[in-house]
Amino acid sequence: MPEMLIGGEWRQAAAREELEVVNPATEDVVASVPAGAPEDVELAIATAKRAFAQWSRTDVETRAGILTKAAELIHAHARELAATLTSEQGKPLAEAIGEVNHLAHGVRYYAEAATKVRGAYQELPATLGPAYGMVIRRPMGVCAAITPYNFPLTLLGTKVAPALAGGNTVVAKPAATTPLATLEVARLFAEAGVPDGVVNVVTGRGSQIGDALVSHPDVRRVAFTGSTA
């Protein structure tokens, strides 16, 4: 049974409950994943918060290099990822391959953008002498990435990749019906060199896990798209 990822460790849910993943075309059970609960969310957020201290100070070119490696691995495993996506979500294989390639492209895009992030400096009028305004872009902390069933990998990439590029850590929550490809992508991020705790994936039912994520005081930003049933 695939396991969820918390702090670099592949693990079962705290309650040891499972959630079946069903192929919508055949109605066969293709796998089971842990049915996470709020205590699993709490652990994932605490782990991501600890990992933030180191990741946010990691040199931006190092972060960009890791993301580039992740994009390469996703592209290299495109057919396997697409087959998994088709089995759990039901879109034609050709469309699934297109979604995986879109994910790889997005991760590579944000890898390249990571080194281009700049602040701003603006001189300001003042009666008391020279004055200026400055915008400094800094990592925010732990980000929640809640993704839907219809484009689980495309929308995962548009949330996780920019968060990592900016020095943030992530707790991802895929839709209960389509968690398998997300878990495989998380494994590839780890293989690419993303440190333990920087990317975490909690699987489970939408409302229970999603509510625990969005209401947590240590989650600095929530990226949500569509249904997570």
Side-chain angles (χ1 to χ4, degrees), residues 136-164:
I136 300 175
R137 301 187 184 276
R138 294 175 176 167
M140 297 178 65
V142 180
C143 299
I146 302 175
T147 51
Y149 71 93
N150 55 341
F151 289 97
L153 296 189
T154 294
L155 296 172
L156 179 74
T158 59
K159 295 169 177 56
V160 173
L164 297 184

Side-chain angles (χ1 to χ4, degrees), residues 15-90:
R16 312 297 293 182
E17 295 183 358
E18 299 178 6
L19 190 66
E20 291 183 342
V21 180
V22 177
N23 184 322
T26 64
E27 298 186 347
D28 293 333
V29 175
V30 295
S32 296
V33 296
E39 53 263 44
D40 299 297
V41 174
E42 186 71 36
L43 177 61
I45 293 173
T47 302
K49 187 177 180 180
R50 288 194 299 271
F52 174 73
Q54 172 91 27
W55 182 247
S56 62
R57 294 195 298 266
T58 299
D59 180 80
V60 66
E61 291 199 1
T62 299
R63 296 200 301 261
I66 291 172
L67 286 174
T68 298
K69 178 63 174 176
E72 293 170 351
L73 288 170
I74 291 168
H75 183 74
H77 292 272
R79 295 200 70 85
E80 302 100 293
L81 288 169
T84 297
L85 184 56
T86 292
S87 71
E88 66 178 340
Q89 194 245 14

Side-chain angles (χ1 to χ4, degrees), residues 5 10 81 84-85 88 103 145 147-148 151-154 156 160 172-175 178-189 199-203:
L5 177 63
W10 295 94
L81 288 169
T84 297
L85 184 56
E88 66 178 340
L103 168 65
T147 51
F151 289 97
L153 296 189
T154 294
L156 179 74
V160 173
K173 193 278 172 200
T178 56
L180 301 177
T182 295
L183 291 169
E184 290 187 21
V185 169
R187 194 181 298 275
L188 295 178
F189 271 106
V199 173
N200 307 273
V201 181
V202 178
T203 56

